[in-house]
Amino acid sequence: MASTTDAATSHAASIGPIAVDPPVVLAPMAGVTNAPFRAICRRYGAGLYVSEMVTARALVEGNPKTELIAAFAPGETPRSIQLYGVDPRVVGDAVGRLVDDGRVDHIDINFGCPAPKVTKLGGGAALPVRHRLAAAVLRSAVRAAGSVPVTVKFRLGIDEDHLTHIETGRIAQGEGCAAVALHARTAEQLYSGTARWAAIGELKERLEIPVFGNGDVWEAPDAMAMVAETGCDGVVIGRGCLGRPWLFRDLAEAFAGRPVPDPPSLGEIIDVMVEHFDLLAEWFDPHRATREFRKHAGWYLTGYPTGPTPRRELSQLSDRRQLLDVLARLDPTATMTDNARRARRGHTNGPRPVSLPDRWFELRDSDDGIDAAAGDAASGG
Ligand SMILES: Cc1cc2nc3c(=O)[nH]c(=O)nc-3n(C[C@H](O)[C@H](O)[C@H](O)COP(=O)(O)O)c2cc1C
């Protein structure tokens, strides 16, 4: 056994009527957390598995690509979606449609996207500065959602001089959100440095609604440490599960106070890879699956002693046959090297100054809306 946890207590969290047990949430990740990936993760443990980010305006306009991103596999439950938007009316419309059509069980609102094309227009991680507008977006979402719980996910703020997490948490609570999730980095940090878990604890102390902590949970003991250090109600898992859906099994064991299993052998990973590819091909089409799977292949093989050739081949994958050929040459008994367990995967970039609209901080108390273009497709984060 790799490690054990000393927590004999079991934990559970709730988001409105949804029991999140174990208290583990798959973070929304654009380009990653589509229905096939969620299905693979869910196999390893219960919890809440959030969709890719969906742009509210594209949903309202009935964009077919957006409809596919917003779709759930038959039987998927609870159905959890993340929406991005800056216009209270558009966000309310999008929520209303989803709820009236009975398409979702949980809605998360993205206030954390640090992409320059979004923040420079005032959207994503820039929005909490404009606290009245942020409140209006949440009010509109909560009102349209009726009994479906709404949550919001945000960062610490723009940068060290402009921390907004406590204020945003209070606004969310005041507007009727069922819970909040804090990625404990500023927008300026992007994915650099380490997440400041102490800020999660600070937020937890100030709010009555559940607080989910996010940032740098790479292994199950990290989650236990985050809960112990911050008192947060649950953990949100992003990059740690890329190529490692079995992290959800480890988390379920750890939260139940049981020993955490060793990482799977390469043989188990190979089976998961083929299954993941097939689910993607079924959900999209074989061509798109091939393109989507290239990044996953690299993540799956991280930490296994395969040598560079299979990784290179899979990064240029051309079809399912090639996938099977490359995987057939790997040693299924190989195990993950110890020092690879915490290997970073996914984004690591930053820090980078945040692009903002002119006079953004001077306008913080303004009631005006912002440039409609800020409501266009964002790119996550
Ligand atoms: C590829 C990728 C895409 C992401 N897309 C989104 C997104 O659409 N919405 C969002 O709120 N966060 C997004 N994030 C941020 C994660 O949800 C999470 O907050 C962040 O990765 C920190 O958690 P971690 O340290 O567990 O990875 C994304 C992260 C990555 C790596």
Side-chain angles (χ1 to χ4, degrees):
M1 293 296 171
S3 58
T4 57
T5 64
D6 49 20
T9 48
S10 74
H11 301 254
S14 51
I15 295 181
I18 303 173
V20 187
D21 184 9
V24 174
V25 177
L26 167 66
M29 287 185 277
V32 175
T33 61
N34 46 36
F37 184 74
R38 296 195 301 270
I40 292 285
C41 291
R42 192 181 291 276
R43 176 148 328 153
Y44 284 96
L48 190 68
Y49 294 85
V50 186
S51 76
E52 295 183 82
M53 187 187 73
V54 175
T55 304
R57 191 152 76 196
L59 200 63
V60 169
E61 287 168 358
N63 178 322
K65 280 191 191 152
T66 306
E67 288 297 326
L68 187 58
I69 299 175
F72 293 87
E76 188 173 347
T77 180
R79 297 158 303 170
S80 170
I81 200 166
Q82 187 185 56
L83 286 184
Y84 166 84
V86 297
D87 180 334
R89 194 182 43 79
V90 174
V91 171
D93 280 357
V95 170
R97 280 172 196 234
L98 291 168
V99 171
D100 293 348
D101 294 348
R103 288 167 59 182
V104 296
D105 304 303
H106 163 235
I107 291 164
D108 183 55
I109 304 287
N110 180 331
F111 277 1
C113 178
K117 68 176 183 185
V118 169
T119 58
K120 77 172 187 226
L121 296 171
L127 197 61
V129 170
R130 293 283 305 277
H131 56 106
R132 289 179 199 270
L133 183 56
V137 167
L138 297 180
R139 191 176 314 134
S140 178
V142 170
R143 205 172 278 165
S147 59
V148 169
V150 174
T151 59
V152 54
K153 179 166 172 287
F154 47 91
R155 288 178 176 245
L156 292 174
I158 302 286
D159 54 30
E160 289 309 314
D161 295 331
H162 303 94
L163 298 177
T164 45
H165 58 296
I166 302 291
E167 184 183 30
T168 307
R170 285 206 178 117
I171 289 171
Q173 179 168 287
E175 297 300 342
C177 288
V180 296
L182 175 62
H183 176 192
R185 284 187 173 83
T186 62
E188 182 184 55
Q189 277 181 286
L190 286 175
Y191 292 88
S192 65
T194 43
R196 202 187 311 160
W197 289 359
I200 298 169
E202 189 194 355
L203 185 63
K204 171 67 191 162
E205 270 176 22
R206 309 282 189 97
L207 298 187
E208 278 148 38
I209 56 174
V211 172
F212 287 76
N214 175 227
D216 295 343
V217 172
W218 300 101
E219 296 187 273
D222 297 335
M224 307 313 290
M226 182 192 270
V227 170
E229 281 175 34
T230 69
C232 67
D233 298 272
V235 296
V236 180
I237 309 294
R239 296 164 297 166
C241 70
L242 298 176
R244 301 197 312 168
W246 38 269
L247 180 58
F248 292 103
R249 171 175 65 197
D250 294 0
L251 289 161
E253 295 300 302
F255 276 108
R258 293 191 290 264
V260 175
D262 284 330
S265 65
L266 189 51
E268 184 178 334
I269 299 296
I270 290 170
D271 292 346
V272 172
M273 288 174 80
V274 175
E275 196 180 351
H276 189 172
F277 181 92
D278 287 343
L279 285 172
L280 284 167
E282 210 178 299
W283 188 255
F284 298 115
D285 58 71
H287 182 66
R288 168 122 184 235
T290 303
R291 272 189 290 124
E292 296 268 336
F293 195 70
R294 290 174 188 154
K295 60 179 181 267
H296 290 283
W299 292 329
Y300 277 118
L301 296 187
T302 298
Y304 290 92
T306 60
T309 308
R311 295 172 64 90
R312 195 184 56 246
E313 290 172 341
L314 294 179
S315 71
Q316 297 156 9
L317 186 66
S318 53
D319 57 21
R320 184 177 194 271
R321 169 167 291 281
Q322 189 198 10
L323 174 66
L324 298 185
D325 285 350
V326 174
L327 296 181
R329 282 187 264 124
L330 302 180
D331 171 8
T333 65
T335 53
M336 183 177 264
T337 53
D338 268 348
N339 60 3
R341 291 181 186 205
R342 305 184 68 77
R344 295 287 189 265
R345 41 195 75 223
H347 301 329
T348 52
N349 51 329
R352 181 178 65 199
V354 183
S355 311
L356 294 169
D358 287 344
R359 300 170 50 239
W360 192 239
F361 296 111
E362 285 168 45
L363 291 171
R364 70 179 301 282
D365 297 326
S366 163
D367 277 318
D368 295 346
I370 58 174
D371 190 334
D376 287 341
S379 48

